[in-house]
Amino acid sequence: PINAILNWSIGAADGYVAFLNKRANEYWMKVLNKWGVFLKSPLSCYVLNDEPGGWFSESAMANMPDFEKEFICDPTAPHYGFTSWDDFFTRKFRDGVRPVASPDDKNVITNACESGALFLQYEVKLTDDFWVKDQWYSLRDMLNDDPYTSQFVGGIVYQASLYLQNYHRWHSPVDGKVVKAYNIPGTYYSASLNDGKDTRAPDNSQGYLCNVATRAAIFIEADNPAIGLMCLLAVGIVEVSTCEINPNLVLKDGPKTVKKGDEIGSFHFGGSTHCLIFRPGVNLQFEQTVLDSIGILHAKNMKLNSKLATVIR
């Protein structure tokens, strides 16, 4: 990936300034859009093979156990039937592989992405010093000063990481209506200066990136009034310059109904992270597996649509 070339400059003081520059990011967007054209073309299939270093090599498949059983593919076809590297990256699960936990219980919130828990913060502020070492969330920056922002002040932010080998589509964690969905332009290679040397930059800056990186915000008014308005914030990291909201959620004719487990968007081209944001007064009991993983980079993967939290009334 390109960030392997830029890694050490990302963590330097001059790099920090450069990668926050608005005009520089406009040019990076052009570069990455061109790179995306290649990754969506058949020419990118050359890495989809079982040779050493290939995406279907023995070492790669060790990180993707049960690939053939879990994902829609054809192992007998060239490149497992994928038409490009991005087609492989955005692959879909086979039906029934990730059942929705408690589909009829509106108090159960499900995992929106195949991911590992990372951070959980309560009483989140409207504005905060997100660039400092602890990487506090600043709602005004995260949500680009959206009119809904004030409703989340004092609420909860849950963040989890998607790993490179993960499924990279997002699914609704609740039943409800999508009342707003849009992309927020931002940085591509910015990272916090307060985490020392990061050989896989910007892995250690994922809290910081929620405030500055290119991202997508999907606001859902949950059917359960004890949840009410919530937000899924999908955050691109480095080459992940495309956070694609499902076209059927474009709100030209009013809010769109979604069921828990419905696909609502996807990442393209690389690793990423996401947040679920809840209003103050929403009383949630997170699963113990979530709580045990908080603060651990590369924590154990939690399955899409599994039980994440329960509303306590």
Side-chain angles (χ1 to χ4, degrees):
I2 297 172
N3 71 297
I5 301 171
L6 301 175
N7 200 328
W8 298 112
S9 59
I10 288 174
D14 288 346
Y16 177 76
V17 174
F19 293 123
L20 280 174
N21 183 276
K22 181 179 179 180
R23 190 172 183 189
N25 281 295
E26 290 173 352
Y27 280 99
W28 275 118
M29 180 177 68
K30 294 178 181 179
V31 171
L32 294 173
N33 284 345
K34 287 291 185 181
W35 177 232
V37 171
F38 169 74
L39 292 177
K40 287 185 174 182
S41 75
L43 292 173
S44 64
C45 285
Y46 77 96
V47 294
L48 300 179
N49 59 64
D50 58 6
E51 298 173 3
W55 277 91
F56 302 129
S57 65
E58 183 177 350
S59 60
M61 289 305 237
N63 290 314
M64 299 184 290
D66 301 320
F67 185 90
E68 297 173 16
K69 294 180 181 179
E70 291 190 340
F71 295 103
I72 297 173
C73 63
D74 181 0
T76 66
H79 317 300
Y80 274 57
F82 297 109
T83 58
S84 67
W85 187 84
D86 187 63
D87 185 39
F88 157 74
F89 184 75
T90 58
R91 60 195 178 274
K92 293 189 175 185
F93 280 125
R94 296 187 186 276
D95 289 344
V97 168
R98 294 292 186 268
V100 177
S102 305
D104 298 321
D105 188 345
K106 296 186 187 299
N107 288 319
V108 171
I109 296 168
T110 53
N111 199 23
C113 297
E114 190 96 350
S115 54
L118 184 59
F119 297 131
L120 180 61
Q121 187 174 323
Y122 294 85
E123 299 182 0
V124 181
K125 295 180 180 179
L126 177 62
T127 58
D128 212 334
D129 298 335
F130 62 83
W131 55 89
V132 301
K133 185 170 179 61
D134 289 330
Q135 299 182 44
W136 302 113
Y137 301 109
S138 176
L139 288 168
R140 175 172 284 165
D141 295 283
M142 293 175 75
L143 301 178
N144 201 36
D145 208 15
D146 186 277
Y148 283 138
T149 302
S150 61
Q151 295 195 40
F152 297 100
V153 176
I156 303 169
V157 173
Y158 164 75
Q159 183 176 357
S161 300
L162 288 79
Y163 309 135
L164 191 58
Q165 70 272 15
N166 278 151
Y167 172 87
H168 272 78
R169 295 174 182 268
W170 334 320
H171 291 242
S172 180
V174 296
D175 293 343
K177 290 182 173 62
V178 175
V179 295
K180 185 183 286 190
Y182 61 95
N183 289 94
I184 302 171
T187 66
Y188 297 98
Y189 293 101
S190 181
S192 172
L193 280 177
N194 294 290
D195 286 290
K197 292 183 178 179
D198 183 357
T199 57
R200 300 180 63 181
D203 273 10
N204 293 341
S205 299
Q206 292 185 52
Y208 163 85
L209 291 174
C210 295
N211 302 276
V212 300
T214 299
R215 54 206 184 276
I218 299 179
F219 293 89
I220 304 172
E221 183 71 40
D223 289 345
N224 185 345
I227 300 173
L229 185 69
M230 63 158 298
C231 179
L232 184 151
L233 190 71
V235 184
I237 298 178
V238 293
E239 275 86 327
V240 190
S241 56
T242 301
C243 302
E244 182 181 15
I245 300 168
N246 276 12
N248 63 350
L249 296 182
V250 176
L251 308 177
K252 293 181 178 179
D253 51 356
K256 303 290 185 179
T257 299
V258 290
K259 298 293 289 182
K260 189 161 52 176
D262 284 354
E263 184 185 326
I264 55 177
S266 59
F267 290 113
H268 293 261
F269 316 140
S272 37
T273 190
H274 78 291
C275 295
L276 298 181
I277 308 173
F278 300 93
R279 298 173 308 127
V282 178
N283 189 10
L284 299 178
Q285 176 60 56
F286 285 87
E287 292 294 286
Q288 192 60 46
T289 52
V290 174
L291 299 176
D292 290 344
S293 299
I294 296 303
I296 301 174
L297 192 62
H298 306 300
K300 182 180 178 181
N301 183 65
M302 295 186 299
K303 292 182 178 181
L304 172 76
N305 293 330
S306 61
K307 187 177 180 181
L308 180 74
T310 304
V311 177
I312 305 299
R313 294 177 180 269

